[in-house]
Amino acid sequence: MRQAMEDGVSEVLSSVVNDVGEAVSRNVSGAELLHELLSAPWLHALLKIYECLLQFQRLSPSPFLPYASRLLHEIMTVMEKVHCPSAEARELYSLLSSPHIQALLSSHDSVALLDYGPVLPPLPDEMPEDEEAMRIVCLVKNNQPLGATIRRDEETGDIYIARVICGGLADRSGLLHPGDLLVEVNGNPVVGLEPEQVIQILINSQGTILFKVIPNAAQTSSTQKPVYMRTMVDYCPLQDSSIPCPDAGMSFSKGDLLEVVDQSDAQWWQARKLYCPVSYAGLIPSAGMLKSKQREQWWCQPLQVHTCIRPLTLADNEDDLTQADDKHTTADENDSDVTDGIYLAGFRRSFRLWKRVSYRRRRQSCTSCSPSSSALSTPYEEVTLYQRPPQENHRLIILVGASGVGVNELRKRLIKLNPSTFQGPLPHTTRPIREGEQTGREYHFVTKELFEYMVCNHRFVEYGEYKGHLYGTSTDAIDEVLKRGRMCIIDVEPHCIQSLRARKLKPYVIFIKAPSPDRLRQTRRDARIINYTISRAFTEDDFVELEEASKLMEAKYRQFFDSVLVNDDPQDACMQLCSIMQQAQDEPQWIPVSWNRME
Ligand SMILES: Nc1ncnc2c1ncn2[C@@H]1O[C@H](COP(=O)(O)OP(=O)(O)OP(=O)(O)O)[C@@H](O)[C@H]1O
């Protein structure tokens, strides 16, 4: 019967109404009153709702994502940066700005997180005498941390709420604030306890936690504007003994994008990771705090000679020279390329002079690098969303990747695909011009004196020596390409990125990553290692070196990568590269704020 009722209560009601209707016509006493009641529209509506809810319960829908509100704000931030939004974009913006949609998505997130707010128990029978000053706060523990830290006043021994984590349980209750004096936790007085003992009580509590606090009278509500930052180092709160509460800490890796929501504390900031489905913030060390930690760490490390950053000559390639087996190629032999009658300037062998320097030697020098001075000075880099105005030069595209991963191959394919859009900068050289060559076509042929003058004036992105002649890629050559309205693509060693990261070029860095070990061996079956001195098939040792070098490079420099592209199938990789580059030029991207300031 109950099942029948649940299946169709409004139908049952309709038949009852009919029966009672008949009783009315037979003039049964009280039937008219009952008929009126059962026919009331509100009763029918209520039962319809009841039926819908039952149906909904059976479907047990699950949320598509638990952070719709944040996504909404992220979308709005992106849209605010769009210069000439389309009519659809404007309509979407106005819909997303409406308080009703925002409230709806906020409720959606609460339901998705099963976070229905505190359920208040009845007030205790014995109210303290100074009940005015006491606040009783009941929080329901769920899978989130409570989102508050405590501190002890060294003089009085009193325990206070030190900070409330943005978006956490305590924050959303709106009932706990920094500076509130903690009196009891779940009926346990905290007077005389160490903060660790209070934390233990909290950890052991199940379900609801009852706090008695004396509110901080001098409470100030701080609404800080979020600041966006890119992290330049890795951080793990569980390995940091100085963090006030490791559970409230947030780990991050180099290159993560953070929304810093609270910087009121000089030592510990609160932040959320962008594009991450967690709605509450976590504690991170402030820039000053992180810098002093890095300095401590740095001083504790044994002194190592820093060999990473220096121009190299091909003399460093002596291992390769002795190992070179079959046919040798030279830098110049592969220089020129002509597609459909168009001479492709800058379309020559990669000018990565570090190529195939003994891997072991390089690995040793790279791993021995203590944090670089720049990493020490900027653990966080403030960033902002930037969209290139159509009238401005294209952003410089930098490709980086381990030697042999296919950086040069991708760059060549891309330029061949569309030589009127993509172009490499024309290198400079001091070697004598040969018959049939033209300066400004194969190279900018310059004297040694001029080349050295340019080196002294930091005009080269990279330079080096081969067979007694100097070769280099200059910033002027990059400018030339950009001024012609083309997208300039260069491939450099990752240590050169830092010097290129400036307002003028606004470089967008794409890391070309090795595919999985199996795919690497499959796809490179017919590939050849080609550099200035050798051309031969890949060996198993080459694959191992390539994989390790790729991982090492990513671990060391990923804070500078705007995008990562796995070079698996060359055709697919080339298409992906094309679309990444297009997005870099036409869609909003995070760049350092210093690149966006007016000069
Ligand atoms: N996705 C791919 N699938 C198969 N072969 C590839 C792929 N990418 C590159 N190759 C081949 O691998 C070899 C090495 O590529 P390439 O010379 O572009 O490497 P590189 O990263 O520029 O290294 P280097 O800087 O040492 O020249 C070439 O024979 C190239 O054709």
Side-chain angles (χ1 to χ4, degrees):
M1 173 68 182
R2 186 181 149 77
Q3 188 59 42
M5 291 271 291
E6 284 181 355
D7 284 349
V9 267
S10 59
E11 272 174 37
V12 175
L13 180 68
S14 301
S15 72
V16 171
V17 172
N18 284 342
D19 290 352
V20 176
E22 280 172 24
V24 171
S25 57
R26 278 188 273 117
N27 207 8
V28 176
S29 154
E32 203 164 332
L33 184 68
L34 184 61
H35 187 256
E36 232 172 71
L37 179 71
L38 294 177
S39 314
W42 57 263
L43 184 61
H44 286 262
L46 270 182
L47 290 175
K48 276 260 178 256
I49 292 170
Y50 175 68
E51 274 177 7
C52 288
L53 286 176
L54 282 178
Q55 215 176 356
F56 191 69
Q57 198 175 23
R58 276 194 294 271
L59 291 173
S60 64
S62 57
F64 184 66
L65 82 178
Y67 58 101
S69 280
R70 270 200 37 226
L71 191 61
L72 173 142
H73 288 293
E74 280 168 25
I75 294 171
M76 286 177 68
T77 314
V78 170
M79 293 177 86
E80 277 158 19
K81 310 272 172 183
V82 176
H83 276 283
C84 299
S86 62
E88 288 85 358
R90 281 202 300 274
E91 187 185 352
L92 178 63
Y93 189 86
S94 105
L95 278 175
L96 296 182
S97 323
S98 104
H100 302 98
I101 296 283
Q102 296 193 355
L104 180 71
L105 294 184
S106 165
S107 315
H108 164 276
D109 290 352
S110 297
V111 175
L113 291 165
L114 301 177
D115 175 16
Y116 306 121
V119 178
L120 295 178
L123 285 177
D125 295 336
E126 290 172 27
M127 293 293 283
E129 279 170 19
D130 53 348
E131 69 184 88
E132 283 300 293
M134 190 78 74
R135 180 180 290 161
I136 295 168
V137 180
C138 179
L139 298 184
V140 183
K141 243 183 154 182
N142 58 16
N143 52 358
Q144 290 181 25
L146 279 177
T149 61
I150 52 174
R151 68 176 168 85
R152 201 173 74 138
D153 185 307
E154 289 311 321
E155 271 179 28
T156 61
D158 287 340
I159 302 238
Y160 289 92
I161 301 289
R163 61 175 66 73
V164 172
I165 305 291
C166 282
L169 268 185
D171 183 33
R172 286 204 312 279
S173 77
L175 299 169
L176 286 178
H177 302 279
D180 288 352
L181 173 66
L182 204 53
V183 181
E184 273 182 24
V185 176
N186 277 353
N188 303 294
V190 299
V191 179
L193 293 187
E194 292 292 328
E196 292 72 24
Q197 291 172 297
V198 178
I199 289 169
Q200 206 50 51
I201 299 174
L202 292 172
I203 290 172
N204 294 339
S205 312
Q206 299 294 327
T208 54
I209 304 180
L210 201 68
F211 294 94
K212 274 188 198 170
V213 294
I214 297 179
N216 173 17
Q219 210 180 90
T220 53
S221 66
S222 74
T223 42
Q224 296 187 28
K225 224 174 154 236
V227 176
Y228 297 91
M229 296 200 180
R230 189 194 299 271
T231 59
M232 307 306 272
V233 292
D234 296 327
Y235 174 72
C236 176
L238 298 177
Q239 286 166 10
D240 184 356
S241 54
S242 64
I243 190 162
C245 170
D247 284 347
M250 183 178 77
S251 63
F252 53 79
S253 310
K254 284 173 182 180
D256 283 347
L257 285 165
L258 305 184
E259 180 185 36
V260 181
V261 288
D262 188 315
Q263 289 180 294
S264 53
D265 185 331
Q267 294 195 314
W268 296 96
W269 292 347
Q270 294 185 28
R272 280 189 272 255
K273 271 184 213 161
L274 282 186
Y275 316 115
C276 166
V278 178
S279 59
Y280 52 91
L283 280 190
I284 59 166
S286 66
M289 175 93 168
L290 205 48
K291 257 188 248 176
S292 63
K293 277 179 198 301
Q294 285 177 302
R295 246 178 263 127
E296 270 168 39
Q297 235 175 30
W298 191 74
W299 282 110
C300 295
Q301 286 178 8
L303 183 65
Q304 305 274 5
V305 179
H306 195 305
T307 54
C308 276
I309 302 172
R310 65 191 170 103
L312 291 173
T313 66
L314 291 183
D316 287 17
N317 257 348
E318 59 203 4
D319 292 0
D320 284 330
L321 286 170
T322 50
Q323 283 165 18
D325 44 15
D326 31 31
K327 78 170 186 271
H328 287 201
T329 57
T330 67
D332 291 328
E333 275 170 283
N334 281 343
D335 272 356
S336 56
D337 208 309
V338 179
T339 297
D340 298 335
I342 307 166
Y343 187 89
L344 303 176
F347 186 31
R348 54 194 28 80
R349 282 226 54 71
S350 152
F351 198 69
R352 295 196 291 159
L353 297 169
W354 254 36
K355 273 192 295 192
R356 308 211 64 76
V357 171
S358 166
Y359 165 71
R360 281 164 207 87
R361 205 183 326 151
R362 209 161 80 182
R363 182 172 57 172
Q364 193 192 7
S365 72
C366 281
T367 46
S368 70
C369 283
S370 307
S372 68
S373 53
S374 57
L376 277 177
S377 58
T378 52
Y380 303 110
E381 180 177 67
E382 192 179 337
V383 289
T384 181
L385 269 180
Y386 162 82
Q387 172 143 24
R388 183 185 68 94
Q391 70 279 8
E392 260 185 30
N393 281 350
H394 287 106
R395 297 179 63 182
L396 171 66
I397 301 290
I398 301 180
L399 304 184
V400 284
S403 179
V405 76
V407 171
N408 199 36
E409 174 74 29
L410 285 177
R411 180 171 157 275
K412 280 203 298 190
R413 280 177 184 249
L414 203 67
I415 295 177
K416 262 192 177 161
L417 195 70
N418 195 345
S420 56
T421 304
F422 308 119
Q423 197 180 332
L426 190 66
H428 283 64
T429 183
T430 59
R431 88 144 161 73
I433 189 164
R434 291 181 191 150
E435 206 183 315
E437 287 182 337
Q438 283 176 23
T439 192
R441 197 179 68 177
E442 285 82 5
Y443 287 100
H444 289 294
F445 292 97
V446 293
T447 61
K448 197 162 182 224
E449 290 69 33
L450 179 57
F451 196 103
E452 281 166 355
Y453 173 83
M454 289 174 75
V455 170
C456 292
N457 284 284
H458 311 288
R459 303 274 285 278
F460 285 112
V461 175
E462 265 187 328
Y463 69 93
E465 195 180 321
Y466 177 63
K467 284 191 178 170
H469 302 300
L470 293 164
Y471 294 81
T473 305
S474 72
T475 45
D476 294 346
I478 293 173
D479 282 344
E480 264 172 44
V481 176
L482 295 174
K483 279 196 194 126
R484 295 175 75 187
R486 298 187 175 170
M487 271 192 233
C488 184
I489 315 164
I490 60 167
D491 56 303
V492 293
E493 285 300 328
H495 65 260
C496 299
I497 297 174
Q498 190 62 308
S499 63
L500 287 163
R501 294 183 88 234
R503 183 181 184 278
K504 191 171 162 217
L505 295 173
K506 295 190 179 64
Y508 185 93
V509 183
I510 305 171
F511 176 60
I512 310 296
K513 185 175 170 150
S516 67
D518 287 351
R519 289 294 298 157
L520 183 68
R521 283 157 184 79
Q522 265 172 30
T523 49
R524 271 67 173 181
R525 253 197 303 255
D526 303 323
R528 297 190 72 74
I529 289 181
I530 309 164
N531 68 26
Y532 295 92
T533 54
I534 56 169
S535 168
R536 59 170 172 77
F538 276 82
T539 64
E540 181 52 30
D541 275 357
D542 292 325
F543 287 133
V544 173
E545 279 184 13
L546 173 49
E547 282 161 354
E548 285 191 33
S550 185
K551 281 187 199 143
L552 201 71
M553 196 177 275
E554 190 176 14
K556 189 159 190 265
Y557 293 101
R558 69 172 175 267
Q559 68 275 28
F560 299 127
F561 303 158
D562 293 289
S563 208
V564 174
L565 170 69
V566 177
N567 186 12
D568 189 324
D569 174 76
Q571 197 63 29
D572 288 353
C574 184
M575 288 303 137
Q576 280 179 45
L577 182 58
C578 206
S579 94
I580 292 174
M581 285 173 55
Q582 215 63 56
Q583 283 167 18
Q585 308 294 353
D586 301 337
E587 291 179 15
Q589 307 288 344
W590 293 99
I591 61 163
V593 280
S594 56
W595 296 2
N596 214 20
R597 287 198 187 110
M598 298 307 280
E599 272 167 346

